[in-house]
């Protein structure tokens, strides 16, 4: 069977080297948190698949071609003849600051429904990865996300939820109302410090949110800290992992890389320290190179950063 199934919206990302308002050349890339995770795992040799709806036009064809080229299974993708591809514009404002603008309302990906996911869930996978972006896209996508999480957790899969709050899609209160119940299906929850409160009581601090999640059956809570690394909470306590000291040129996709590394370590049977080491290693590759996933390592490249001691 598959190692990992993920689903969501894959976007066509159009990247400008400077401010968008100044015009100039755009380059075309695949984006989308779930696609980033699938690619991260596929590059390390794990069997992965991505499910979702993509437009039937050339842009949808491009999304599928990129996923296939990276070795991600697309057998259970639905083509949507009516709706357009979701787009994302990314402009570079300073050397280390990029800004993102979406054109995704009413897109093919946002029309995701339970029916689109049924065949993929029936085929099964060891790990189901999902993000808090998908339930923000539409009512049907929200129900599909909840259904997939429930179905996979019942079948004994490891469910990993990455909170990934996107303020351009919904408010924090709307996100919390959906993501807190959703976290109850997860074995692994990933959140930045900022996002953690969206899977707990409003205003609750980190120890309180973590305690409530562990109480509800979540096994591992991963709090990502950017350049400061990450904290991993389990019933045995907390373990810290420092980030690797690379020069960051593009932080978009870092969280997805971290999650992919953690899940790869899980699939390889590594202990918590080993899973975290792989997670920060993939995070370092992601931020040290341009693009959301392009710089992610193949398995034989994992050791390239071995000489870097955690900062
Ligand atoms: O949390 P990350 O920076 O790893 O997520 C980046 C992705 O899906 C990016 O590829 C973008 O398309 C998105 O998050 C999004 O919808 O914002
Ligand atoms: Mg993230």
């Amino acid at each position: 069977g598959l190692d990992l199934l993920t689903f969501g919206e894959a976007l066509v990302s159009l990247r400008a080297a400077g401010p968008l308002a100044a015009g100039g050349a755009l380059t075309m890339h695949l984006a989308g948190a779930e696609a980033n995770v699938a690619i991260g795992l596929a590059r390390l040799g794990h069997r992965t698949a991505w499910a979702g709806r993509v437009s039937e036009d050339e842009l949808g064809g491009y999304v599928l071609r990129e996923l296939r080229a990276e070795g991600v299974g697309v057998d259970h993708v639905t083509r949507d003849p009516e709706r357009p591809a979701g787009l994302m514009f990314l402009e570079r404002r300073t050397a280390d600051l990029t800004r993102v603008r979406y054109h995704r309302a009413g897109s093919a990906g946002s029309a995701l429904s339970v029916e689109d996911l049924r065949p993929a869930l029936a085929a099964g996978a060891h790990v189901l990865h999902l993000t808090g972006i998908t339930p923000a896209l539409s009512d049907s996508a929200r129900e599909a996300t909840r259904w997939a999480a429930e179905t996979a957790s019942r079948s004994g899969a490891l469910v990993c939820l990455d909170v990934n709050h996107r303020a351009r899609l919904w408010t924090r209160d709307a996100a919390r109302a959906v993501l807190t119940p959703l976290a109850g299906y997860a074995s692994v929850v990933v959140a930045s410090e900022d996002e953690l409160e969206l899977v707990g009581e409003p205003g609750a601090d980190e120890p309180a949110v973590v305690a409530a999640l562990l109480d509800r059956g979540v096994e591992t809570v991963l709090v990502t800290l950017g350049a400061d690394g990450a904290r991993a909470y389990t019933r045995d306590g907390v373990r810290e992992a420092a980030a690797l000291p690379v020069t960051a040129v593009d932080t978009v996709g870092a969280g997805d890389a971290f999650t992919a590394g953690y899940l790869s370590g899980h699939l390889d049977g590594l202990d918590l320290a080993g899973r975290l080491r792989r997670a920060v290693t993939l995070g370092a590759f992601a931020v040290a190179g341009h693009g959301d996933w392009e710089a992610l390592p193949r398995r034989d490249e994992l050791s390239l950063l071995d000489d870097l001691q955690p900062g």
Side-chain angles (χ1 to χ4, degrees), residues 33 162-166 190 192 195 224 253-256 259:
D162 182 346
V163 172
N164 265 351
H165 180 59
R166 295 293 179 264
V190 186
S192 62
E195 291 170 339
T224 59
D256 304 328
T259 302

Side-chain angles (χ1 to χ4, degrees), residues 11 31-33 36 88 102 104 133 164 166 251-257 292:
L11 298 164
N36 299 342
M88 172 176 132
Y102 298 131
R104 68 197 299 180
I133 299 172
N164 265 351
R166 295 293 179 264
T251 58
V252 180
D256 304 328
D292 298 6

Side-chain angles (χ1 to χ4, degrees), residues 106-122:
S107 66
S110 69
L112 183 77
S113 72
V114 171
E115 289 318 308
D116 295 321
L117 296 183
R118 226 180 262 287
L121 267 289

Side-chain angles (χ1 to χ4, degrees), residues 30 39 42 60-75 77 79:
L30 170 71
I39 292 170
Y62 167 75
V63 165
L64 290 186
R65 195 188 66 130
E66 289 289 279
L67 288 169
R68 282 197 194 101
E70 289 296 331
V72 175
V74 291
D75 287 355
V77 171
R79 299 299 291 270

